[in-house]
Amino acid sequence: MMFFRLSIKNIKQSIQNYTIYFITLIIGVAIFYTFNSMESQTAMLSLSKSTKDIIKEAIQLMSIISVIVSIILGYLIIYANNFLIRRRKKEFGLYQTLGMSKRKIAQLLLTETIIIGVISLIVGLFVGAFLSQGMSLLVIRLFQADLSQFAFSFSASAALKSCLYFGGIYILVMIFNVITVSRYKLINLLNASKRNEVLKVKGNVVSVILFIASIFCIGSAYYMLRVDHVLFTNVTKTVVMLVLGAAGTYLFFSSLAGFLLKLVQLRKSRYYRNLNMFVLRQVNSRINTMKISMTIISLMLLLTIGIMSSALSLVSAMNGDVSENNLCDVTLIGHDDRETDILGIMKKDGIDTSKYFAQTLQIMYYKTADQEMDTKQYIGDDTVKKLEEKFGGMLTIDSDPLVVIKLSDYNKLMKFYGKDELKLKDTEYGLVANYEQFTKYYNDTLKARRTVDIGGEYLTPADTTCIDIPLENSNMKAEMGTFVIPDAVVINHPDSFRNGAQRVYGNYVSGDTEKIEEDFLGKLKAVYKKGDKKPYPYEVSFTKEEMKSSQMGTTAIFTFIGLYLGIIFSITSAAILAIGQLSESADNKERYAILRKLGVDNRMINMSLLLQIGIYFILPLIVAVVHSVVGLQEVSRLISIFGNMHLDKNIAITAVFLIIVYGTYFIATYIGSKGIIKEKEKYIG
């Protein structure tokens, strides 16, 4: 009971020092609970089976990510706890002087950790319970659920998981505290506030060598990323690139400590102005001792910018308008080089299409024969080279046959879609393509009046732009290029063509579309199980319902990942910086007191403190921004393979988010540091 009362008293007296630590713990618990409570938030909603499957996958992914998050938060909590112990060295020394054993001090710390842990868990779960309702509204919006079913809910499983994960972290903190206290010597504890850190300024030669090494490592990583395009194409080289980038960042901060001080010292007027000399030596000392932490912070900020921007951009790139890219309910596709009567086979297998479809249309697509023009020839070698260089190993263009559809079949499909029919002269062709990475080059080719030679027939473009229409259901604009040619060309030159993939387009009968589709796909699955029918001559390509689910799933999963990791990384980075600077201020209380005795006014001291904290916060952010500019260019290139993207817009969203989080911790650190350096005033004259 004595330890409990003393612990409560200590926490109350140190509330100013505990504030950022305590608030960060609460936010960590709240965010952890919120993103792990999805299951209970969605349980009350009436969702389709496919949507529930998507949410289940998202929940499983969140569980995996939560392990990573708990490791990051564990590092933060142990780091912050180390700061709090350092702040209380003299207090522990007084306890030992008064006869308290190290074991008793460890018990005191244990009690304090338990109290802080319990309070942070309770408050964090309380805050998380309300934040999770916002998650419910996000889920309702993403999955287009009925808002009338929304009700307040609390996830016992998410609360239990939060308690288990954070309980494990606090146990590690307790072990760390016991080990730390047991190693302290009484003389060091009592003189903790009088001990000065030895400032080790690297020589010019050493700093230059480290700086050159850092530039070499970072430059090599950039080269591998932007020139060799190793990201996601070569696992080993990707790892090497990441190691070089991290090592280069560490070496940069190692060299910066010497460079920064020497650089400003060259400008005597600025170096001796106001308290610049004091500030720079403080910053130099901090960078010198915190280079590992600053490296980690820069990399976490890089991940914050990269993950949030990329995730949101990937969502916008892959999720176009479902109704625009799916003009019928279902597309079935046969295999190439087969005279496949898909509807006939379905009837033979006992599938009554009239039970499921109000309308069906069956069309044969053709491919040019080997001796005819191919894709590479049509696009041109220079264009192929540009495309392959742009996408590196992610995209290759082979000498594939041209995909062709007869004009009459195309117009049947347009009538089925409810779109305008196409008119062609006997010597003209149209090109259907909406895949953005190709259409630009296709349009250039069409404007150049590129002639197609098929079977001795010379066809010229009917228009100077591609026809933007999907010939197959998809969740994005993915039509790579299909030529519409007059029927007579196919009929009169049969040797110039071979069968491509036959497709069937269908619109369901009126009723519950989801149930009709489930019955239809279930029937197909039953037919697939017949051993004598494998490989089956056709398959469902995509359905509109599947594309809706895919769109919602992509949006949900990448949004959740981006927000979850973005919030955790940014808060952790800012909190480590804040706690480190508060520690610095605590160590420098007597120095600021001496400055006041020497006649330095509070305004100048506060400005020096603001400058010191500002430099400390801005340096890892600048490094992270430089890394992210290079990295996001490569990510932009990769994401553009999936379609149109808005990286600039999403970077702006990420920047605003980061400014809010980073700025809040910066202001709180400045206010807290001012309070710490003023504490000494009541002990000095």
Side-chain angles (χ1 to χ4, degrees):
M1 193 65 185
M2 178 190 71
F3 284 128
F4 181 79
R5 288 197 298 269
L6 185 57
S7 298
I8 293 293
K9 184 178 179 181
N10 286 337
I11 293 173
K12 286 181 179 179
Q13 289 177 344
S14 305
I15 191 67
Q16 187 179 35
N17 302 328
Y18 276 94
T19 301
I20 288 181
Y21 175 59
F22 189 57
I23 290 175
T24 303
L25 283 180
I26 291 172
I27 294 173
V29 173
I31 298 300
F32 191 91
Y33 169 86
T34 299
F35 282 92
N36 283 279
S37 64
M38 282 178 56
E39 189 171 6
S40 66
Q41 305 304 321
T42 56
M44 61 184 177
L45 303 177
S46 178
L47 301 171
S48 65
K49 181 179 180 299
S50 58
T51 301
K52 288 179 179 177
D53 289 340
I54 291 169
I55 293 176
K56 185 178 180 181
E57 291 178 6
I59 291 170
Q60 291 174 345
L61 187 59
M62 289 299 108
S63 297
I64 296 172
I65 293 175
S66 291
V67 176
I68 300 172
V69 168
S70 65
I71 293 172
I72 295 169
L73 290 174
Y75 169 77
L76 168 62
I77 293 169
I78 291 174
Y79 177 88
N81 191 72
N82 183 45
F83 154 69
L84 296 174
I85 290 179
R86 284 183 58 194
R87 287 278 289 119
R88 301 173 63 189
K89 281 184 178 180
K90 189 171 183 179
E91 176 190 337
F92 295 153
L94 291 173
Y95 286 154
Q96 283 191 250
T97 304
L98 294 172
M100 185 180 288
S101 65
K102 289 183 179 180
R103 186 173 65 84
K104 295 292 185 182
I105 295 174
Q107 289 180 9
L108 177 64
L109 281 174
L110 176 65
T111 306
E112 290 182 15
T113 304
I114 292 174
I115 293 172
I116 294 172
V118 170
I119 294 174
S120 64
L121 273 173
I122 293 173
V123 178
L125 291 175
F126 179 79
V127 174
F130 284 94
L131 286 179
S132 64
Q133 307 314 304
M135 174 69 76
S136 296
L137 295 175
L138 178 61
V139 170
I140 288 172
R141 180 180 177 185
L142 291 176
F143 294 102
Q144 301 173 8
D146 186 1
L147 186 60
S148 63
Q149 299 179 61
F150 174 75
F152 186 90
S153 64
F154 182 79
S155 174
S157 60
L160 178 61
K161 183 181 288 187
S162 301
C163 291
L164 289 175
Y165 276 75
F166 281 87
I169 292 171
Y170 292 141
I171 290 173
L172 290 176
V173 170
M174 294 173 194
I175 295 172
F176 173 83
N177 287 344
V178 171
I179 295 173
T180 303
V181 171
S182 65
R183 289 179 175 177
Y184 284 149
K185 294 180 180 179
L186 179 59
I187 186 66
N188 293 334
L189 291 173
L190 292 174
N191 294 321
S193 61
K194 298 179 182 179
R195 295 186 65 183
N196 291 320
E197 180 182 350
V198 178
L199 180 59
K200 297 179 180 179
V201 180
K202 296 179 177 67
N204 292 339
V205 175
V206 175
S207 294
V208 170
I209 291 173
L210 290 176
F211 181 74
I212 293 173
S214 73
I215 297 301
F216 173 78
C217 290
I218 294 173
S220 299
Y222 287 175
Y223 183 88
M224 294 178 71
L225 179 69
R226 298 290 293 125
V227 179
D228 290 344
H229 303 302
V230 302
L231 189 63
F232 303 133
T233 61
N234 187 305
V235 176
T236 302
K237 289 184 178 180
T238 298
V239 172
V240 172
M241 177 194 71
L242 295 175
V243 170
L244 282 172
T249 304
Y250 171 78
L251 291 173
F252 175 78
F253 284 117
S254 295
S255 65
L256 187 63
F259 261 128
L260 192 62
L261 188 60
K262 294 292 183 183
L263 186 65
V264 181
Q265 282 178 338
L266 294 175
R267 302 185 64 179
K268 302 294 185 182
S269 60
R270 185 167 295 276
Y271 181 65
Y272 292 111
R273 183 182 300 174
N274 298 328
L275 294 178
N276 288 351
M277 179 174 64
F278 174 77
V279 171
L280 285 169
R281 293 188 70 84
Q282 294 296 109
V283 171
N284 190 78
S285 170
R286 204 64 186 164
I287 294 174
N288 198 41
T289 56
M290 294 283 294
K291 49 184 176 285
I292 294 178
S293 293
M294 294 190 79
T295 301
I296 293 172
I297 290 164
S298 282
L299 297 179
M300 283 198 293
L301 289 172
L302 168 63
L303 289 173
T304 300
I305 298 169
I307 290 173
M308 288 194 71
S309 301
S310 302
L312 296 176
S313 298
L314 194 57
V315 167
S316 63
M318 296 185 68
N319 290 335
D321 187 348
V322 172
S323 59
E324 181 183 340
N325 295 320
N326 296 269
L327 300 180
C328 64
D329 289 333
V330 63
T331 307
L332 294 96
I333 187 168
H335 297 293
D336 289 350
D337 303 321
R338 296 190 190 181
E339 190 70 49
T340 306
D341 179 8
I342 296 176
L343 292 175
I345 294 173
M346 292 175 71
K347 184 177 180 180
K348 183 180 177 182
D349 287 333
I351 300 175
D352 183 5
T353 54
S354 63
K355 177 182 175 183
Y356 304 106
F357 300 105
Q359 294 175 294
T360 57
L361 175 65
Q362 185 166 270
I363 289 178
M364 173 63 78
Y365 287 76
Y366 301 91
K367 290 188 175 181
T368 53
D370 294 339
Q371 71 274 14
E372 302 295 336
M373 179 177 284
D374 58 36
T375 306
K376 261 190 175 181
Q377 290 173 335
Y378 180 78
I379 297 177
D381 291 338
D382 290 341
T383 302
V384 169
K385 186 177 180 181
K386 288 179 184 177
L387 282 167
E388 291 184 341
E389 285 178 353
K390 180 178 180 180
F391 295 108
M394 299 293 290
L395 179 68
T396 56
I397 300 174
D398 299 319
S399 299
D400 294 324
L402 302 182
V403 180
V404 173
I405 182 176
K406 293 190 294 185
L407 176 63
S408 61
D409 286 338
Y410 176 81
N411 284 333
K412 287 177 186 177
L413 179 59
M414 292 304 102
K415 187 176 180 181
F416 187 85
Y417 280 167
K419 300 291 184 180
D420 294 335
E421 296 182 2
L422 177 66
K423 293 182 180 180
L424 293 176
K425 295 179 181 179
D426 292 342
T427 57
E428 291 182 334
Y429 71 89
L431 179 56
V432 181
N434 60 15
Y435 179 57
E436 187 181 7
Q437 301 305 327
F438 277 16
T439 52
K440 176 184 180 299
Y441 300 101
Y442 278 149
N443 287 337
D444 290 342
T445 304
L446 291 171
K447 287 175 184 176
R449 309 296 295 170
R450 182 74 163 90
T451 300
V452 177
D453 178 8
I454 301 178
E457 297 280 353
Y458 293 92
L459 306 178
T460 56
D463 202 348
T464 56
T465 56
C466 296
I467 303 169
D468 184 0
I469 201 82
L471 299 180
E472 184 178 345
N473 287 356
S474 177
N475 64 346
M476 56 182 282
K477 291 191 173 186
E479 182 57 51
M480 306 287 283
T482 298
F483 290 80
V484 185
I485 63 175
D487 291 26
V489 177
V490 178
I491 295 171
N492 296 334
H493 304 281
D495 293 339
S496 296
F497 303 93
R498 55 188 174 86
N499 290 337
Q502 190 179 70
R503 296 178 191 175
V504 168
Y505 303 87
N507 286 323
Y508 294 129
V509 295
S510 60
D512 187 342
T513 303
E514 186 181 338
K515 189 175 186 309
I516 293 169
E517 180 167 299
E518 187 177 345
D519 290 344
F520 173 62
L521 296 180
K523 185 71 173 177
L524 284 183
K525 187 176 181 180
V527 172
Y528 266 99
K529 289 183 178 178
K530 296 181 180 179
D532 59 335
K533 293 294 183 181
K534 292 184 178 180
Y536 214 62
Y538 69 90
E539 59 187 348
V540 174
S541 177
F542 296 106
T543 74
K544 185 184 289 187
E545 288 295 318
E546 286 176 336
M547 292 303 97
K548 285 181 180 178
S549 297
S550 173
Q551 183 187 60
M552 290 187 292
T554 302
T555 302
I557 290 174
F558 282 104
T559 299
F560 293 149
I561 291 174
L563 290 176
Y564 195 15
L565 292 180
I567 292 171
I568 292 299
F569 283 138
S570 60
I571 288 175
T572 302
S573 303
I576 290 174
L577 284 169
I579 293 166
Q581 195 55 47
L582 289 171
S583 175
E584 177 80 355
S585 299
D587 291 342
N588 292 326
K589 281 195 304 184
E590 293 188 4
R591 293 185 178 91
Y592 283 107
I594 293 172
L595 288 176
R596 287 192 180 92
K597 283 185 173 182
L598 293 173
V600 180
D601 59 33
N602 283 329
R603 180 179 173 276
M604 189 176 291
I605 288 176
N606 289 339
M607 284 300 296
S608 71
L609 185 64
L610 182 65
L611 181 61
Q612 180 179 331
I613 296 172
I615 293 173
Y616 190 59
F617 266 74
I618 203 70
L619 280 176
L621 181 60
I622 290 174
V623 174
V625 168
V626 173
H627 286 344
S628 64
V629 167
V630 178
L632 286 174
Q633 288 178 351
E634 181 68 5
V635 171
S636 175
R637 183 186 70 85
L638 295 175
I639 294 178
S640 65
I641 294 177
F642 298 101
N644 188 30
M645 61 176 295
H646 306 284
L647 192 58
D648 294 342
K649 173 185 173 183
N650 293 308
I651 289 175
I653 294 172
T654 304
V656 171
F657 166 80
L658 199 56
I659 288 170
I660 292 172
V661 174
Y662 215 62
T664 301
Y665 270 90
F666 172 77
I667 294 170
T669 303
Y670 175 64
I671 294 172
S673 295
K674 279 207 305 183
I676 288 174
I677 65 173
K678 287 180 180 179
E679 286 179 3
K680 197 67 180 177
E681 290 181 359
K682 55 190 175 185
Y683 298 110
I684 62 178

